Amino acid sequence: MTATGTTASSDRALARVRRRETHSPRSTAMVVAVVLLIALVAYLATEIVLVMADAPSLIAAPADLLRGLAAASGTVMTAIGAAVALLGAVLVVIAVTPGRLAKHTMAAGDGTIVVVDNGVVAAAIAQHLSDTLGIDRRRLTVGVGHRRVDVTVRPETGLSIDLDEVRAAADAELATYRLSPSVVLSVHRRLDKKEER
């Protein structure tokens, strides 16, 4: 195998590992959907058996349900149809779209990648801002989402915080991480409740 073939093969393997580590399977959603479907079928089967045994129904006999649907107004039928269509659309979206874990990848200089939890990235940014700008670590809140990083600063009473300086320091730190997928930074100032009064 040539060097180019080896590189392409290792790139594909690396891409598979990255996807496996940053995306979750839809097993939970599938199990929930199947359990709900089984419960519905079991309920209908129970109602049919009760009708055949001339026993009182649990909730309503299937024939009564059908009669109730037939007697329902157009508005009710439209609402039921819309609910069923919405449920179907949600199930299709769940089946087609990948689940995302709260992780990003960081590119290393030698071509390898590091998978890092979003909480670790948030803690690292907060600590960097605290060390660089001298802000008390307890007065910084950093949240890292799939495509966004939010930094909230709660300045101490009587102290002013230059948000542009915070943004520049956070941007510089984020640039060194080389996160994938890339993120957009937003910086906010929030006053404590007692300071707002």
Side-chain angles (χ1 to χ4, degrees), residues 54-161:
D54 287 331
S57 60
L58 294 175
I59 297 174
D64 294 338
L65 288 174
L66 290 175
R67 273 195 296 275
L69 285 175
S73 66
T75 307
V76 172
M77 292 304 290
T78 302
I80 291 172
V84 170
L86 181 62
L87 178 63
V90 167
L91 290 175
V92 167
V93 168
I94 288 174
V96 173
T97 59
R100 298 193 191 281
L101 297 174
K103 296 180 180 180
H104 279 79
T105 57
M106 298 170 67
D110 58 359
T112 60
I113 60 166
V114 176
V115 178
V116 60
D117 189 83
N118 288 354
V120 174
V121 175
I125 293 170
Q127 192 60 51
H128 173 76
L129 293 175
S130 177
D131 294 343
T132 305
L133 304 176
I135 302 171
D136 186 350
R137 173 67 181 83
R138 294 168 296 182
R139 297 203 162 261
L140 288 164
T141 304
V142 180
V144 177
H146 183 61
R147 293 280 186 183
R148 188 176 180 87
V149 174
D150 288 311
V151 177
T152 303
V153 184
R154 291 180 297 111
E156 295 183 43
T157 306
L159 294 179
S160 63
I161 297 288

